[in-house]
Amino acid sequence: MRALRSFTYPRTIAILRALHLGDLLCAVPAFRALRAAFPTSTISLIGLPWARTFVERFHSYLDEFIEFPGYPGLPEREPDFQQLAEFLASMRSRRFDWVIQMQGDGSYVNDLIRLCGGRQCWGFTPARANGAVPAGFLPYPTDCPEIHRHLRLVEYMGVPSQGDHLEFPLTPDDQSDFERLPHADVLKSGQFACLHPGGRGLNRRWSVEGFIEVARGLADRGLRVVITGVAEERLLAEEVAGALADAPINLVGHTTLGSLGMVLSRSRLLVANDTGTSHLAAALQVPSVILSVGSDPSRWNPLDGARHRVLPGPSTEAGDVLAQADELLTRPLVEPSRVNAPPRPLRILTWHIHGNYLYYLTHTPHHWYLPVGLSRPGYSGRAPGFPWPDHVRDVPVDRLKQMTFDGILFQSKSAYLEDQYELLTSQQRRLPRVYLEHDPPDDPTDSRHIVSDPAMHLVHVTHFNRLMWDNGETPTSVIEHGVPEATVDYGGELPRGLVVVNDLPRRGRRVGADLIERIRRVIPLDVIGMNSEAAGGLGEISHEALPRFMSRYRFFFHPVRYTSFGLAVCEAMMIGLPIVALPVTEMPAVLADGVSGYLDGNPDRLMQRMAALLADPDEARRIGANGRTIAQQRFSLQRFTADWNRTLSEVVTRGSSSVSSTTIGVPCAAKLR
């Protein structure tokens, strides 16, 4: 797994989620993803006292429980300031590699997270009008279910999802507790339905009369009624039970969390308010009708709408609940429901077009197949100069037709217009497909993109590019560049500027060849990149050596008039090199002149700025530090891989219904052996 990531493997991880049962169950998919990514790490949960047993139950994902002492502004527990001081001292002394905030949007607790002294902090942060986001923090999503919110966070961290299904493992101790319950012999039969009329706070409960009427209806359908709840809800349960002609089994106050799970797992149906019990039913695959009272359905609804029906509590009548119950009791359901659990990494065919971009792209958790064997661009495969991970594989072109893929990623006109017809079968050409467009159009207003297919997906690397291309009816999105955190810091001891441009002699004025020639008569500039020797440059620098090489220069000059936002610019910004550039294409949307870079369309003015940076190293450090902050927020490799992972998964899932990859050839792993 380390090969998929640019960060240091975290040996110790602490997660703050000091909340209740439903909240923790909704975070289990995120816990599962972290454990899969870091199987040997120690993962600790900072939680409310009750959660000690939760950690014991989920010992395959969580190793340690740390009691949360409360914190001002959080309602879950009144803070004990003596315990809080001891908690913070203990956290700082342990110096966790990662501390992850899963408590909420961070309004109250992000300061606490930083006080814990972790080497790297992750979490949510409130969305800000100016778009500024601290490094490691994700603007709090408000457009998704709670389960997906936390999966977005771990994906942002570079940790791939292992599915969004819930879990609740049952143990032999749970079975023993179940055996000791009243009427355990009746409960073993499974011919009963559970009612859970309680909930935290009166404003979170459906009407008592409604539950009574539903209980009568379930009894009329031949089901024994079992009432569940905590001890504090005994009076409520007795009120429901006292109104029924046939006495229900009243388990309120008698169950442990584990024995409640055993009861639910044997029941035909659960009818409940939107409480932790509803999420427990979702985890156990028990059909349920949930009354949403005082909560946000879009956030807390179970994801499996076929098995779990959610009704708006205030406007729902008992007849509505019973109608949904009838459907659930009579309809066959797929067992088990794991429709959102990816069984394996995707198998993606693509071409080697831009080496650095491809290397960063293959940090996504999928298998990448690169064709080799033709003497033309795109067929260099795992070219030297990059530490390619094992899940990137070369495939001879004469074997492509026998391979199995889940999707195809095109990156060039030749591959899309010609090579696919020469090298792939007709079935393979119907696989889910994405076209990655690296460049803006030659004509910025009237160029129609070569992809004109509503069934495909077109990805641009900048918003400027998408704006300039005529994309027709093809669905499009933008995935901006992503680069790793720098392994070196800015030095700037060499009083010269650096230019990184590939094929400078061939590309000429478009990439600023004339500006370089003019400016370096006055300002000392070095040029590197493929074939730069032909333009008086220093040649190509290897990928591994480039960060340290760049860090010595005083500034980075980007002379390009018209192209995409340069990947080398992102890499320079991540080091802290101050950027001097023309105010064209995407550049003004990234850098602010005089604050995080120097932008000007007047070459004479640019030379003045360069001279100032050469004369004032402190100003160079100031500009570079501001640019580095932007790079960490906007061009992080974690955000980049999360965007690509989401796009590829969505495109493959959407397109897989039209063609099954299992019908094409034999498994690629077998062919590679």
Side-chain angles (χ1 to χ4, degrees), residues 193-199 204-207 210-211 214 218 226-229 233 260 264 269-282 286-293 295 302 308-313 316 321 325 328:
C194 287
L195 256 66
H196 193 94
R204 299 290 297 275
R205 298 176 183 175
W206 192 46
S207 69
F211 276 109
V214 167
L218 293 174
V226 175
I227 304 177
T228 60
E233 296 164 349
L260 174 61
L264 281 176
L269 179 74
L270 168 70
V271 179
N273 295 303
D274 181 14
T275 66
T277 306
S278 69
H279 301 291
L280 187 57
V286 177
S288 65
V289 181
I290 305 302
L291 286 308
S292 179
V293 183
S295 63
H308 309 287
R309 309 297 174 82
V310 180
L311 300 174
T316 296
V321 176
L328 292 173

Side-chain angles (χ1 to χ4, degrees), residues 49-97:
W50 79 268
R52 185 181 300 276
T53 58
F54 184 92
V55 171
E56 292 170 357
R57 184 173 302 277
F58 286 91
H59 59 84
S60 59
Y61 300 150
L62 303 170
D63 300 293
E64 179 192 23
F65 171 75
I66 300 174
E67 185 172 333
F68 180 63
Y71 191 69
L74 297 183
E76 285 75 22
R77 188 178 190 187
E78 188 71 23
D80 182 317
F81 288 97
Q82 176 62 35
Q83 289 185 17
L84 178 59
E86 294 170 357
F87 165 79
L88 289 173
S90 173
M91 292 293 292
R92 286 194 292 268
S93 69
R94 295 183 63 175
R95 192 83 161 115
F96 283 87
D97 289 336

Side-chain angles (χ1 to χ4, degrees), residues 265-460:
S265 70
R266 293 174 177 270
S267 69
R268 297 279 306 281
L269 179 74
L270 168 70
V271 179
N273 295 303
D274 181 14
T275 66
T277 306
S278 69
H279 301 291
L280 187 57
L284 293 167
Q285 303 292 322
V286 177
S288 65
V289 181
I290 305 302
L291 286 308
S292 179
V293 183
S295 63
D296 178 3
S298 65
R299 178 177 179 181
W300 296 109
N301 278 7
L303 300 181
D304 184 353
R307 192 182 307 273
H308 309 287
R309 309 297 174 82
V310 180
L311 300 174
S315 61
T316 296
E317 298 181 355
D320 302 323
V321 176
L322 290 169
Q324 295 294 327
D326 286 337
E327 280 197 36
L328 292 173
L329 291 168
T330 57
R331 285 183 56 185
L333 294 170
V334 177
E335 299 287 349
S337 176
R338 288 290 184 267
V339 294
N340 296 309
R344 53 172 171 73
L346 299 175
R347 297 164 297 207
I348 305 296
L349 170 67
T350 192
W351 285 257
H352 186 135
I353 299 300
H354 297 285
N356 282 41
Y357 191 101
L358 179 63
Y359 174 63
Y360 299 145
L361 179 62
T362 57
H363 282 62
T364 54
H366 302 298
H367 296 306
W368 296 88
Y369 297 91
L370 310 178
V372 295
L374 296 179
S375 57
R376 56 185 188 233
Y379 292 87
S380 56
R382 289 166 52 104
F386 298 92
W388 298 105
D390 293 338
H391 60 275
V392 180
R393 306 177 185 182
D394 289 347
V395 181
V397 292
D398 59 0
R399 295 174 61 185
L400 287 174
K401 291 183 179 180
Q402 287 77 48
M403 301 291 291
T404 299
F405 305 111
D406 296 298
I408 302 173
L409 176 63
F410 296 101
Q411 301 189 60
S412 67
K413 291 181 180 179
S414 58
Y416 180 69
L417 296 177
E418 301 169 10
D419 297 2
Q420 66 166 316
Y421 299 100
E422 174 186 346
L423 303 176
L424 304 178
T425 67
S426 59
Q427 289 178 305
Q428 287 171 323
R429 295 198 299 273
R430 292 196 298 271
L431 286 169
R433 294 163 297 157
V434 177
Y435 191 104
L436 169 59
E437 180 54 73
H438 291 275
D439 298 310
D442 291 334
D443 186 307
T445 59
D446 296 308
S447 292
R448 184 68 176 261
H449 200 275
I450 59 170
V451 176
S452 181
D453 185 350
M456 285 189 64
H457 190 85
L458 177 58
V459 174
H460 293 288

Side-chain angles (χ1 to χ4, degrees), residues 113-133:
I113 288 295
R114 296 184 184 95
L115 290 173
C116 289
R119 291 182 171 85
Q120 169 70 58
C121 294
W122 302 96
F124 296 113
T125 188
R128 304 183 188 278
N130 62 3
V133 177

Side-chain angles (χ1 to χ4, degrees), residues 53 78 102 106 163 176 179 247 271 287 299 414 416 433 441 463 469 526 536 557 586 591 609 632 660:
T53 58
E78 188 71 23
M102 290 187 177
S176 298
E179 298 281 356
V271 179
R299 178 177 179 181
S414 58
Y416 180 69
R433 294 163 297 157
H463 292 278
W469 277 106
D526 287 339
F557 177 40
E586 194 77 4
L591 297 177
R609 296 291 183 84
Q632 290 170 335
S660 171

